[in-house]
Amino acid sequence: MTGVQTCALPIWLANNEIDIYEIGSSVDLFRRAQTIPGVQIREATPKQYAHITFNGAPGTVLADVRMRRAIAQGIDRTAIAQRLIGPIVPKVLPMGNHIYPIGAKEYRDNSGVLAYDPAAANRALDALGWVRPAPGAVRARNGRPLTLRFVSTAGNPIAEDTAKTTQNQLGAIGVQVDIESVPFNQFFHDFVDVGNFDLTSFQWVQNSAAFSNSLNVYQEPKDADIGNNFGRVYDPRIGPLFAQGFAELDDAKRADIGNHLDQVVWQEVHDLPLYPQTGAFAVRATLANFGAKGLGDWDFVHAGFTTS
């Protein structure tokens, strides 16, 4: 759906041309839905979340896990979540798990190992030789400025706002972020898939088999076979943990393995989960049992219109 069509959704709903539209992370669509008579906003946290991927391939600026950790500690995930979707979900919490979605019985917040800590980020960058020649200046090492390319999709307000907020936050610790907005039809093929970025952001969609569905995101890169591990970050503990989890038949024990694996992913700074999608939909009030689906799926059998 084009940007023009998306902007028209509230008009179509108000004119009874449609009965539902997805709000997602669009504050504009949310606020316009609030003004339409006979429309409800239904929300339930889904299996979809935004994140920032770090390119840790050999030879890149972020190849060193200490660099990735310092950059991650300079990014305030809570501030990003509140800025982007706080008007829709006032009590939004940052994602604390790479494997399990918020609301799932297996979910645990394992993000404490990588908490926002700009002071620690500054110390780490100093120790790595990236020093600030003057207060407020960009850090440099051996005459090379510390600059990261944040590749974003052009014309996407959410992606652009994420990139700009990250740019401002990292600027505070002396890291220059250059934002490169590219057409969506080139975003994955010409940039993300081939590792042509330092930082980038998009959304992961988990499914009902969250553990097994995560394998190709964190698999070991082998030449051109990277699965969906676009940042090419890997820890040798990950493969055996997946194998152990696949062989485990006890759900509780598999959840423990999954959370152990998630802790490893946090430690390696594979990517930085930001916030879950809002799961918000604008729905005609007379449309029953339909709208926000959360961790489930729509049940069309039980959906329908009420008589009043």
Side-chain angles (χ1 to χ4, degrees):
M1 184 173 292
T2 67
V4 173
Q5 290 174 318
T6 299
C7 291
L9 290 173
I11 298 174
W12 295 341
L13 185 57
N15 290 342
N16 294 312
E17 297 176 64
I18 59 175
D19 298 299
I20 181 173
Y21 70 73
E22 185 175 5
I23 292 171
S25 300
S26 174
V27 175
D28 176 62
L29 290 179
F30 172 75
R31 288 174 173 161
R32 291 170 70 185
Q34 291 178 308
T35 68
I36 305 174
V39 166
Q40 296 177 342
I41 295 173
R42 300 174 184 172
E43 298 177 15
T45 304
K47 297 173 286 191
Q48 185 174 349
Y49 70 93
H51 77 289
I52 295 175
T53 279
F54 294 75
N55 187 351
T60 63
V61 180
L62 300 177
D64 189 329
V65 65
R66 296 172 297 174
M67 275 293 294
R68 296 196 300 275
R69 186 173 297 120
I71 297 302
Q73 288 182 307
I75 298 174
D76 188 343
R77 301 185 305 126
T78 300
I80 292 176
Q82 290 175 342
R83 175 171 177 172
L84 269 65
I85 65 170
I88 304 173
V89 187
K91 295 182 180 180
V92 60
L93 295 174
M95 278 291 295
N97 200 297
H98 298 79
I99 309 297
Y100 301 112
I102 290 177
K105 65 180 184 298
E106 301 92 347
Y107 177 87
R108 301 172 196 166
D109 187 340
N110 297 313
S111 63
V113 68
L114 208 60
Y116 172 59
D117 190 342
N122 277 311
R123 291 193 298 269
L125 291 172
D126 287 340
L128 289 167
W130 294 99
V131 298
R132 285 183 125 166
V138 175
R139 292 176 178 275
R141 185 173 69 180
N142 299 326
R144 175 188 178 186
L146 180 48
T147 303
L148 301 177
R149 290 173 55 244
F150 196 124
V151 174
S152 175
T153 47
N156 182 334
I158 302 300
E160 291 174 354
D161 210 2
T162 300
K164 289 177 182 176
T165 304
T166 303
Q167 181 185 57
N168 292 336
Q169 292 178 349
L170 292 181
I173 61 170
V175 180
Q176 177 176 316
V177 175
D178 292 338
I179 300 172
E180 185 173 348
S181 297
V182 303
F184 181 76
N185 61 358
Q186 298 176 17
F187 177 67
F188 282 101
H189 183 268
D190 295 335
F191 293 88
V192 177
D193 291 353
V194 296
N196 185 12
F197 65 92
D198 292 313
L199 304 171
T200 191
S201 181
F202 51 94
Q203 295 194 352
W204 287 123
V205 181
Q206 298 161 306
N207 64 19
S208 56
F211 184 89
S212 60
N213 186 53
S214 301
L215 173 61
N216 66 350
V217 178
Y218 306 107
Q219 73 176 53
E220 181 179 6
K222 295 181 179 179
D223 298 323
D225 181 15
I226 63 167
N228 287 332
N229 187 356
F230 303 120
R232 295 157 173 81
V233 173
Y234 181 74
D235 183 289
R237 293 172 290 178
I238 288 177
L241 283 170
F242 269 115
Q244 183 183 354
F246 291 148
E248 179 56 65
L249 301 181
D250 183 276
D251 290 343
K253 291 180 180 178
R254 189 185 312 109
D256 287 341
I257 295 168
N259 276 286
H260 182 191
L261 193 155
D262 179 58
Q263 291 168 2
V264 172
V265 174
W266 280 104
Q267 292 165 8
E268 283 300 301
V269 201
H270 177 280
D271 63 86
L272 192 63
L274 296 177
Y275 57 86
Q277 178 59 271
T278 67
F281 286 79
V283 189
R284 196 166 310 286
T286 53
L287 179 54
N289 300 323
F290 205 69
K293 53 187 175 180
L295 301 184
D297 293 307
W298 281 324
D299 185 349
F300 293 95
V301 173
H302 295 96
F305 289 93
T306 61
T307 57
S308 59

